[in-house]
Structures are given as structure tokens and as C-alpha cells.
Amino acid sequence: MGSFQSLPDDHQYRTLSQKTGFSLEQIAILHNRFKQLSQNEETLRRDDLKTIQDLESNPIRSQIIEAFFDSRNFQKDGVGSVEEIGFEEFLTVMSYFRAPPQHITEEQREEMRRAKLRFLFNMHDTDNDGTITLEEYRHVVEELLSRSGALGRETAKGIADAAMLEVASISVGPMAPDEFYEGITFEHFLKILNGVEIETRMNIRFLNMDATVLCK
Amino acid sequence: RRRIHYKHEAQTARDCLVLHHLSPMRRRGFHLIPRLSSIVPESCLLIVVGLLVGGLMKLVGEIPPVLESKIFFLYLLPPIILDAGYFLPIRQFTENLGTILMFAVVGTLWNAFFVGGLLYGVCQLEGHRLVTVDLLSCLLFGSIISAVDPVAVLAVFEEIHINELLHILVFGESLLNDAVTVVLYHLFEEYSSVGSITVMDVFLGIVCFLVVSLGGIVVGAIYGILAAFTSRFTSHTRVIEPLFVFVYSYMAYLSAEVFHLSGIMALIACGAVMRPYVEANISHKSHTTIKYFLKMWSSVSDTLIFIFLGVSTVAGPHEWNWTFVMATLIFCLVARVLGVVGLTFVINKFRIVKLTSKDQFIIAYGGLRGAIAFSLVYLLKTEHFPMRNMFLTAIITVIFFTVFVQGMTIRPLVDLLAVKKKQETKRSINEEIHTQFLDHLLTGIEDICGHYGHHHWKDKLNRFNKKYVKKCLIAGERSKEPQLIAFYHKMEMKQAIELVESGGGAKFPSALPSTVSMQNIQPKKPPQDRALPQLSKAREEEIRKILRTNLQRTRQRLRSYNRHTLVADPYEDGWNEILIKRKKMKELEKKMNNYLTVPAPPPDSPTIARARLASDPQAWGLKSVTESIPTIKVDLASPQSPESVNMVDEFGKKGSQSKASKEEEGGLTMKVPSPTNQRKDKTADEDNDKEPQQRLMRCLSDPGPTAEEEDEDEAFLP
């Protein structure tokens, strides 16, 4: 076992706290949860996350799990996916779901918003080419409707197409019949989700967690 | 004695009718003076009108009718509350429920005791007349006046278009504090005859409060479920569907009131519970009817209430006492501000999105009092409360102050403080997709954290709802329809209505500025898929067979419309003519694709064209069928286009029986449009394709009134 395990290493926690913005208590709680999920090992694997029972009924389960192993989300300019992650990466991914503190400037708020939306974008853009193509978008909708049987699958295509048309019309405007819309870039993505207040909605209450009591 | 009673009531009824007829005209006149309406909120003007009418009546010598509490609580208040409850934005409401409850319960209690207690102190200090006012009367008065009034809040807030959070906080508070008011009112009223209260009584009061509020909600929820259940079986009697909604809601209100539970909460619970299920079951026409009736009734009630307030001011017995009235006013304002600030301090510890001081100011400033307080005081008997007239005067003063001063100044203040306003954007399908995605994502993250938070329980409730409740309360296939699909169909229908109303002709709704079509986003396809399919002989034969069977069914219904039919019976005219027309339509449809953001539906069949004409011969000139919209498929007879292959196979067995039941749906069904490319693919490899099973859509009969901005129509727990 490493130095992480027995005593909460204050120095390391402090660096993490500075990096991710979590408080020391929150980091301690999340660390306990990490240890529990990884069965007291140093690293977490996909299978460890798959053991969580509550996730079973989630239609976008695989995408959520993938997001934890996607190096684009580790804020280290990496690409591609990894097989296992350490606590730092785990915490970094979790930090995308922190609430904005009460007193922040407009630029900081915008920063946070962009970071969160980037996380979402990465979840959809699976081949990492910087755009969400029609196929990828269809996949997203199909996954969302994956619990609805045959009816879901057919309409998924129609819904994805309609949504794509909407993005194209909002972002690009009128297009000639032979022009082709490659896919949703990050800027277009920002545009269409302008009405959704991501920085206030994409949050988890990390404050009152007691991992040892509540989790399975 | 009975005759006098009758005379009085008849007089009141007559006056009501007179005012009722005058009020819509007055409203229209009011809107003709736009400058006035931008400065003065409607409620103020209505009160002034009431004052004028009351003054006039007094001059003439007649006794102006007073806002009788019975009429108010039984007839005027329920429509407004039902309108509010039915269109309550559930998502915002539940997200902020904790905050709303804090303001409603703790805030109202604080207000009541602060105002009541301090007034008692003032009365004792003042001496002479006021010293007779005892503590319990003061507390009773405090409890009546402390409640924020939903009618006044609605009237003022509706005009300032404030952001949804603040709107739901103040409005939610005004709705939920009814339980507190009811309990305090009854408590103090009873105890004032007894004389003193003990700790036991306080404890009983708390129990009473829980019973009143939860009981009201339970009663409302039961009636709501009953209404939803009834609506499941109304597919054969569509015209009386709106009636069920109204009747059940009113019964919920009455039942709650009879048992001294909170009627307002019952009504809100009833409306909110029944709405998602009822809307899935009823026809589009019924939905429109319900919406417009609710708006109409609440509008009329609203107007009458304010006018009556004005009239009652002139009429009612007054007893002006400078000290008391001024003290009441000041204490109300101070209590409100202190309460809001103090509570926000506590609440912000538990909120993710904290309330800023701007928010707090608006919440405090939006605490308007209104007609409910007036009616409650009016109900007091002078024998028990000798200072009742003084209370009445004080209440009217406070109401006037809040409605006039606060109501008029809130709009410039909102602009001055640059408070965020309501976003007028239409809800797009992208937002819906990503909102749902986000919900699942957040639930997943909570599960990974091991944290049973807000999203976890919401998800569980949704799943429970989907698995058990929806199956019970929603008829047919719609019970299994996922929310995203429901939203998508709703959007399609809205688009269809808009296109239909624009005549499908030259002008298109400005909401669709795009000229992006399916071709622009589809990946490049091999050239042969783009050509129009040539109809083979075998295909022709199949189509003819389909049409024959189809026509046999529709012939009866449509016989009377035959002279309008453009597309003739294949037996009578040449079949080739029909095919040529259909090809023409397909080409036109390609052009029309540019104007759609939902993919275009397959082109019309003869039955469809006929059916569309049958629905409204006026709206569709004979030209329109050949020239323009193949976009709206209105299919009386067959739920599926006869061009799809499996009609031949399935028609005998499945198609016919499900078709028969669908004909009974009453109204025209609209198909899900599928992309033209998809259709072309299908026609290319027709023999291998299996057309998926019938898709049952919302019934869409004739377009009806303009589809308005329906931002209030949100699905249950989105």
C-alpha cells in the first residue's frame, strides 16, 4: 500500500485541493470512496465502476464510465483513453461537477462554464476529431432511448437528424443544397447550449456526503 | 327574513353580472392605452375602476356590493389557483422546494408573530381606544395580514417577466403559505373565545398545521389521480374531457375546504399531479380547450377580485385610526424585509445557487398582500372582534399600499437593478436532449460518489413513475413513450400547426429561418439513391390493392366530400394520373425540405389528400394540394401511408383491427415524418424491408387557434 492509504497526507491533499478546488474534507470523503471502489488499490479500473449497482439502470452508463478514463478530461493535454486511473485523475473528473463559488468574477464563471461544456462535448465526441458528427450524435440519442425498445431506436434517428438540422441552422445559417455540414464543433456546441445554465445545473452536492454510510 | 336574503343575493348577483360584462370591455380599453399599461399594473387600474364604480353607486344611493367572502372563496379564487397549479413549472418548483417551504412556513410564522406582537405592544402603549385590543386579536390580525397573496403576486409578476427562479420562489411561497394562514386563523379565532393558550395548544397547532397541509395535498393528489384515471377511458367521448379536469379539481378544492384542510394546496396538488397523465391521454382539441378555459376563468376572476376590492373599499364600514394603520403598514414592511434577509442567510448554506442581495430585495419587495387577506378579515364577526372594522381599514390600506406603490415601482426597480429577466427562447430539441443527458449524467456521478442526492431520488421517482404509474393512468401505447420522444412529437406537431396555418404557401413562420435541409447533413450517398424511384408494375398493383381496401373503409365517411376531392377514385379515373400527381408532389417536396427543421414526411396518398380536404374544405383551396405542402400528413383512414410495403401483408390481420380502433380515436392522426432519404432507401429495397409497427400519434384535427408560446407546458419531472 502506498503513502496515500493509512493517514490522510495533508500535503498531497493540499495540492489536490488547490488544483481541483475541493475542500480538504471533501477530498478525504472522495478518497474513501475511491478506496472502496478500487478495493483499496492505488488505481481504479473500468470493471470497478461497473460493479456499482445503481449504475446498471442508467442508459448512458458506458459513456459515463468512459469519461473517467478519457485523458482529455485530466487537464493534462492528453489524448486517448487509459485503462486505469489514480485518485488524482478521479478527483479531477469529479471537479467538473463542483458548484461555482458564490463570489466569482464573470470571466471565472465563463471559464467554469466552458470547462463543463468541454467535458460534455468530449463525452459525445468519441473519436476525438473535434466535431460531433451525425453518427456520433445519433449514437447519443440512441443511448438515451436505449431503454425504450424498438420504438426508441427508430425515432432516435429522426430525433438526431432533427437536432442536427437545428444546430446547423443556428450555427451556420442558410446552406446551399450541395454544401455539407461536417459536424458540431465546440463553438457550435456552446452556441446551442446557450440557454441552459450549465454552471448552475451541472453540480453535485459534495458537502454532505458520508461515503461510508451511504454507499453500497 | 328569507326574502331579504334573496333580495340581497340577487342584487349581488346582478351587480356581479354587470361588472362581469363591463370588465372585459374595460380590459380591452385599458390595453388601448399602452403607455398607461406600461406604468401602472393592471391590478391597480382595476382597483381604481372599482373605486369609481363604488363611488358612483354611492352617489346614486345604492348600496355597493361588498366582496362577499363566500363568493370569493367558492367562485373567484379556485379558477386562479387551478390555472396556477395546472401550469406550475414542476421542475423549478421541486428544485427550489426547500427554499419555498422555508419562506412559506417559517417566513409567514415570523411575519405573523412579529406584526401581531408588535401591534399589541403599540396598542398597549397608545392607550385609550386601542387598549381593548387583546393579544390574541392582534395575533390573529397579524396572521391574516402576513400571508403573501397569490392573486396579487400573479397579477404583478406576470407583467414584469422576471427570471424563473424569483418568479417561482415568490409565487410558490404565496401558494404554500395558505396552509399556515388557515391553521393560524382557525387557531387564533378559536382561542380568542377561550381566552388563553397553553404549551399544549401550541403543540396541537403544529400538529394541526401538518394535518392541514399534508391532508390538503393528499386530497388533491387523490383527485388528481382519479382525474388521470378517468381520462384514460375518454377516447370515445372526447368532448367532455375538459369537463373532467375542471370538475375533479373543483371537487378537490371543495372537499379540502369542507374538512378545514388547505383548499389551495389541494387544488395545486390536483392540477400538478393530473397534468402529465391527462395530457398524454386527451386529444389536442381538449388540451387547447382546457388551456383557454382556465386562462379565461382566471382572467375574469382576477379582474372581478380587484374591481370588487375597489368597490368594497368605498362600501365597507371603516374605522380609521392613524396609529394602528400606520403601525401595521410599517411593521408589515419591516417584518418582510427582516424575514427574507434572515431566512436567506440560513437558506444559502444549503443552496447550490445562492440567492444574491438583488434576489432578496425582489423577494421582499414582491411580498404583496391581496384579496385573500381582505376576505378573511371580512369573515370575522364583530361580536367577537369589536375592532373588526379597524382591522378592515388597516388591511385595505396595506393592500392598497402593496399593490399600488410596490406594484407600480417594481418594474422600474427591476430594470434599475438589472435583475435577470425571463428568457424568451423556445425550447429546442437540442436543449431537451442535452438536459436529459445531463440528468442521467448527474445521477450516474452521484451513484459513483455513493451519494444519494437530489438526482438519485429524482431518477428513482421517474423510474417508478414509468414502470407503474404511467401504465395505470395513460391509455394505450403512449404509456411507454419516453419523454424525449414525447417532446419530439410535440415539437413536430407545433411545427405542423405552424406550417398548416401559414397555408403551407408562400410565407413561412419566422421561427424557421433555416434553409438547411436533410441533404446538408447527411453523409454523401451513392448517386443512385438520389434518383426518384420508378414505380414498377408490381408496385403499382400493390398500391392499387391497398387503395382499394383503404377506399372501401373511407368511402362511407368521405362520400359527402366527394365533390371536393381532387384525387379521384382509381376505378373512375386513370390510375396513371394519380401516379403522375404523386411524382410531382415528390419533386415539390424536395423543395419544401428547405423549410423544415424536422425531416419531411413521405408524400401524400390519395386518401390523405382527400382527408385533408375533408377536415376543412375552406382552408385548402383546390390548388394547394398540387402546389404545396406534402409536409403535413393528415390521414383519416390509414395510419400509415399506403405506399409502405407491409400494408399488403399486415393489412388483413393486424392492420385492419388496429386501424379500426384508430379510426375510433376521433380525429386525424399524424404520422411521424421520416427522412426522405430513408423513404427512398425503403422503396429501393422494399421487398426486404419490414415496416415497423404502427406508431400511434397524438390526434391532430383541424388546426384550431394559433399555437402559442407554450413555455409553461413542461413534462413531468423532466
Side-chain angles (χ1 to χ4, degrees):
Chain A
M1 311 262 185
S3 58
F4 246 151
Q5 306 305 321
S6 35
L7 292 163
D9 194 328
D10 265 356
H11 174 65
Q12 271 172 315
Y13 274 20
R14 241 173 280 251
T15 8
L16 282 174
S17 172
Q18 270 180 347
K19 183 181 174 207
T20 57
F22 283 118
S23 74
L24 294 176
E25 315 164 304
Q26 289 170 334
I27 295 180
I29 294 174
L30 283 169
H31 199 193
N32 281 335
R33 179 63 175 166
F34 182 82
K35 280 188 270 186
Q36 196 194 28
L37 286 174
S38 66
Q39 282 130 22
N40 271 326
E41 291 184 24
E42 287 244 11
T43 56
L44 197 67
R45 287 191 185 74
R46 284 184 180 79
D47 295 328
D48 298 322
L49 287 179
K50 282 185 186 156
T51 59
I52 302 175
Q53 263 195 332
D54 291 317
L55 268 186
E56 295 284 321
S57 48
N58 200 318
I60 57 169
R61 174 169 163 253
S62 45
Q63 278 147 308
I64 298 178
I65 296 180
E66 263 317 300
F68 274 90
F69 294 90
D70 187 345
S71 13
R72 287 178 292 177
N73 296 329
F74 298 155
Q75 296 178 356
K76 283 185 189 156
D77 299 328
V79 281
S81 64
V82 295
E83 281 307 310
E84 43 184 44
I85 56 171
F87 180 57
E88 188 180 337
E89 286 87 21
F90 181 76
L91 203 63
T92 314
V93 172
M94 283 297 180
S95 72
Y96 286 104
F97 296 93
R98 265 187 59 240
Q102 193 170 10
H103 306 289
I104 54 170
T105 64
E106 266 309 305
E107 298 103 54
Q108 283 174 325
R109 183 176 284 269
E110 190 56 34
E111 260 310 302
M112 247 190 141
R113 191 183 147 79
R114 278 186 84 98
K116 293 186 196 252
L117 283 172
R118 187 85 221 179
F119 182 82
L120 280 181
F121 187 80
N122 288 342
M123 282 185 86
H124 301 319
D125 180 23
T126 43
D127 60 2
N128 197 21
D129 60 354
T131 56
I132 305 177
T133 60
L134 185 61
E135 277 311 311
E136 287 170 339
Y137 214 33
R138 274 192 188 146
H139 183 68
V140 171
V141 181
E142 271 167 17
E143 288 291 301
L144 271 181
L145 295 173
S146 56
R147 310 263 151 177
S148 318
L151 179 62
R153 275 195 293 277
E154 308 145 25
T155 343
K157 211 151 175 271
I159 294 178
D161 292 339
M164 201 70 171
L165 275 174
E166 199 182 64
V167 180
S169 61
I170 291 179
S171 322
V172 182
M175 290 175 78
D178 51 357
E179 277 183 76
F180 182 60
Y181 182 64
E182 292 290 336
I184 310 178
T185 63
F186 184 55
E187 291 308 317
H188 297 169
F189 193 68
L190 285 177
K191 227 185 200 178
I192 55 171
L193 287 184
N194 216 3
V196 181
E197 280 202 13
I198 284 288
E199 65 271 19
T200 49
R201 289 185 60 175
M202 190 163 145
N203 299 316
I204 302 282
R205 286 171 196 273
F206 288 106
L207 188 61
N208 308 326
M209 276 165 33
D210 188 357
T212 50
V213 172
L214 291 174
C215 54
K216 292 199 173 134
Chain B
R1 230 250 222 125
R2 206 182 293 170
R3 220 185 306 149
I4 300 172
H5 241 265
Y6 176 68
K7 193 170 165 200
H8 173 71
E9 271 171 8
Q11 199 176 32
T12 319
R14 186 197 60 199
D15 293 320
C16 271
L17 273 172
V18 164
L19 286 169
H20 171 78
H21 282 300
L22 286 179
S23 61
M25 279 163 37
R26 224 170 270 140
R27 255 188 179 204
R28 221 170 297 140
F30 169 53
H31 280 291
L32 289 177
I33 319 169
R35 253 206 68 151
L36 198 61
S37 70
S38 62
I39 304 174
V40 184
E42 233 176 80
S43 39
C44 300
L45 277 177
L46 289 170
I47 294 186
V48 168
V49 163
L51 286 172
L52 289 172
V53 169
L56 269 171
M57 282 178 141
K58 247 199 172 154
L59 276 176
V60 173
E62 285 207 14
I63 310 169
V66 191
L67 180 59
E68 263 192 64
S69 303
K70 194 173 83 163
I71 297 180
F72 176 74
F73 281 113
L74 282 183
Y75 304 120
L76 291 180
L77 190 60
I80 302 179
I81 304 295
L82 179 60
D83 182 37
Y86 194 75
F87 292 111
L88 194 69
I90 298 273
R91 190 189 186 117
Q92 277 103 337
F93 190 73
T94 46
E95 276 178 5
N96 295 297
L97 193 60
T99 315
I100 293 176
L101 278 175
M102 274 290 268
F103 279 124
V105 178
V106 181
T108 312
L109 280 173
W110 157 260
N111 278 352
F113 284 103
F114 185 84
V115 173
L118 281 186
L119 269 179
Y120 179 63
V122 164
C123 286
Q124 297 301 82
L125 287 174
E126 221 271 4
H128 34 124
R129 280 178 306 152
L130 289 182
V131 77
T132 53
V133 185
D134 62 332
L135 179 64
L136 278 170
S137 304
C138 279
L139 285 175
L140 176 62
F141 180 70
S143 67
I144 294 176
I145 204 164
S146 61
V148 178
D149 188 87
V151 179
V153 164
L154 264 177
V156 170
F157 270 53
E158 204 131 295
E159 296 183 4
I160 60 178
H161 298 300
I162 208 163
N163 68 59
E164 289 175 337
L165 172 68
L166 287 178
H167 187 265
I168 196 71
L169 282 180
V170 182
F171 183 59
E173 179 198 344
S174 70
L175 289 175
L176 294 186
N177 66 17
D178 180 60
V180 180
T181 315
V182 164
V183 169
L184 284 178
Y185 182 84
H186 284 298
L187 267 179
F188 289 136
E189 205 193 3
E190 280 173 30
Y191 291 147
S192 64
S193 39
V194 171
S196 62
I197 42 174
T198 64
V199 176
M200 191 58 187
D201 296 325
V202 172
F203 179 68
L204 276 178
I206 298 176
V207 171
C208 197
F209 165 71
L210 288 172
V211 167
V212 162
S213 48
L214 293 176
I217 294 176
V218 163
V219 167
I222 292 177
Y223 274 99
I225 293 179
L226 275 177
F229 194 65
T230 315
S231 71
R232 185 180 165 180
F233 303 107
T234 55
S235 50
H236 298 277
T237 48
R238 294 254 177 227
V239 278
I240 63 172
E241 273 169 345
L243 193 65
F244 286 125
V245 172
F246 302 135
V247 165
Y248 276 108
S249 313
Y250 196 54
M251 300 245 306
Y253 180 74
L254 289 179
S255 314
E257 287 289 327
V258 157
F259 294 113
H260 285 296
L261 303 171
S262 168
I264 290 184
M265 292 182 97
L267 210 44
I268 301 284
C270 186
V273 164
M274 81 166 125
R275 186 179 169 207
Y277 309 109
V278 161
E279 288 206 334
N281 283 330
I282 60 177
S283 71
H284 183 71
K285 261 183 172 167
S286 301
H287 173 73
T288 316
T289 309
I290 292 178
K291 181 168 152 187
Y292 281 96
F293 259 87
L294 280 178
K295 295 289 175 206
M296 179 195 81
W297 269 326
S298 65
S299 207
V300 169
S301 285
D302 187 73
T303 313
L304 280 177
I305 288 177
F306 283 113
I307 292 182
F308 261 122
L309 258 182
V311 173
S312 310
T313 312
V314 175
H318 288 302
E319 199 184 307
W320 183 268
N321 183 311
W322 273 104
T323 328
F324 190 78
V325 173
M326 284 298 121
T328 312
L329 192 56
I330 296 173
F331 291 149
C332 275
L333 293 173
V334 169
R336 178 78 183 158
V337 171
L338 287 178
V340 169
V341 170
L343 280 175
T344 315
F345 181 72
V346 176
I347 288 170
N348 269 344
K349 296 205 199 297
F350 298 98
R351 279 182 67 91
I352 292 184
V353 183
K354 319 274 182 202
L355 295 173
T356 65
S357 9
K358 260 195 243 171
D359 295 335
Q360 289 174 45
F361 177 76
I362 296 293
I363 294 174
Y365 210 68
L368 307 172
R369 315 306 204 260
I372 293 185
F374 176 85
S375 309
L376 283 175
V377 168
Y378 201 75
L379 274 176
L380 294 174
K381 300 192 200 10
T382 327
E383 308 90 62
H384 295 184
F385 299 93
M387 311 309 289
R388 175 227 194 217
N389 294 338
M390 191 173 69
F391 287 172
L392 210 56
T393 316
I395 283 238
I396 288 187
T397 315
V398 174
I399 294 176
F400 269 45
F401 183 83
T402 56
V403 172
F404 277 92
V405 176
Q406 285 177 236
M408 275 204 275
T409 53
I410 200 168
R411 197 191 305 214
L413 275 172
V414 160
D415 291 331
L416 191 70
L417 293 173
V419 178
K420 238 190 326 182
K421 294 239 175 150
K422 187 158 86 163
Q423 287 178 319
E424 296 292 349
T425 50
K426 234 196 309 200
R427 213 171 147 81
S428 71
I429 188 134
N430 276 298
E431 279 186 17
E432 183 69 23
I433 291 176
H434 289 286
T435 309
Q436 286 220 3
F437 188 83
L438 195 61
D439 277 340
H440 287 299
L441 175 63
L442 290 171
T443 313
I445 298 287
E446 274 189 2
D447 292 332
I448 291 179
C449 283
H451 172 50
Y452 284 176
H454 185 66
H455 292 97
H456 180 91
W457 295 116
K458 203 161 88 153
D459 190 58
K460 273 222 160 97
L461 185 62
N462 262 330
R463 272 187 283 140
F464 172 75
N465 184 28
K466 195 160 136 180
K467 207 162 164 200
Y468 301 113
V469 185
K470 272 190 181 173
K471 289 228 174 79
C472 254
L473 299 178
I474 300 183
E477 274 187 31
R478 294 216 56 184
S479 60
K480 300 192 213 82
E481 194 175 57
Q483 198 210 311
L484 186 59
I485 295 184
F487 180 83
Y488 175 59
H489 291 154
K490 202 175 183 181
M491 252 192 57
E492 280 185 339
M493 195 151 75
K494 271 195 211 172
Q495 291 246 357
I497 293 175
E498 280 173 9
L499 276 169
V500 157
E501 298 220 318
S502 68
K507 118 173 115 66
F508 281 86
S510 56
L512 310 172
S514 71
T515 46
V516 181
S517 68
M518 280 303 299
Q519 309 155 245
N520 294 118
I521 65 170
Q522 293 282 4
K524 301 278 185 280
K525 288 214 158 174
Q528 63 261 27
D529 285 343
R530 289 189 166 262
L532 278 177
Q534 300 299 315
L535 291 166
S536 62
K537 277 281 170 207
R539 194 104 170 83
E540 244 180 75
E541 199 46 57
E542 283 167 16
I543 293 174
R544 207 180 300 206
K545 217 199 285 182
I546 293 164
L547 275 177
R548 223 177 290 146
T549 352
N550 232 344
L551 287 172
Q552 276 165 7
R553 286 180 188 270
T554 59
R555 201 183 285 271
Q556 294 292 19
R557 202 184 284 195
L558 302 175
R559 194 171 284 279
S560 54
Y561 295 104
N562 261 344
R563 67 179 146 225
H564 295 291
T565 317
L566 237 203
V567 189
D569 197 322
Y571 282 127
E572 294 165 1
D573 287 15
W575 177 231
N576 293 324
E577 240 178 49
I578 300 171
L579 291 178
I580 293 170
K581 281 200 182 104
R582 192 179 297 130
K583 271 188 213 165
K584 257 200 213 150
M585 276 198 263
K586 269 195 198 155
E587 281 169 23
L588 284 161
E589 186 196 298
K590 275 185 65 173
K591 286 187 203 160
M592 289 306 142
N593 275 346
N594 289 340
Y595 295 91
L596 288 177
T597 52
V598 288
D604 281 17
S605 72
T607 31
I608 294 160
R610 190 186 303 182
R612 179 171 48 236
L613 293 172
S615 76
D616 193 357
Q618 252 67 30
W620 305 98
L622 285 179
K623 279 198 185 160
S624 54
V625 177
T626 41
E627 270 179 22
S628 43
I629 9 73
T631 53
I632 316 303
K633 270 184 46 91
V634 170
D635 191 348
L636 233 195
S638 64
Q640 264 186 324
S641 164
E643 284 194 316
S644 63
V645 178
N646 286 340
M647 290 298 275
V648 183
D649 308 321
E650 295 178 3
F651 219 57
K653 357 160 204 164
K654 186 179 168 189
S656 51
Q657 75 203 63
S658 50
K659 213 165 62 67
S661 65
K662 266 149 212 155
E663 275 176 14
E664 298 305 307
E665 288 292 348
L668 312 163
T669 51
M670 191 170 82
K671 230 171 82 71
V672 177
S674 48
T676 34
N677 294 27
Q678 210 177 33
R679 284 223 55 81
K680 283 168 191 161
D681 291 340
K682 272 206 198 116
T683 46
D685 27 300
E686 44 176 281
D687 296 314
N688 311 325
D689 251 312
K690 274 280 169 199
E691 176 85 4
Q693 71 265 30
Q694 312 275 18
R695 290 173 280 205
L696 186 62
M697 296 301 130
R698 256 292 178 62
C699 295
L700 171 70
S701 46
D702 77 274
T706 328
E708 294 185 328
E709 185 63 42
E710 289 185 14
D711 46 274
E712 67 235 341
D713 295 342
E714 282 191 6
F716 183 63
L717 288 180

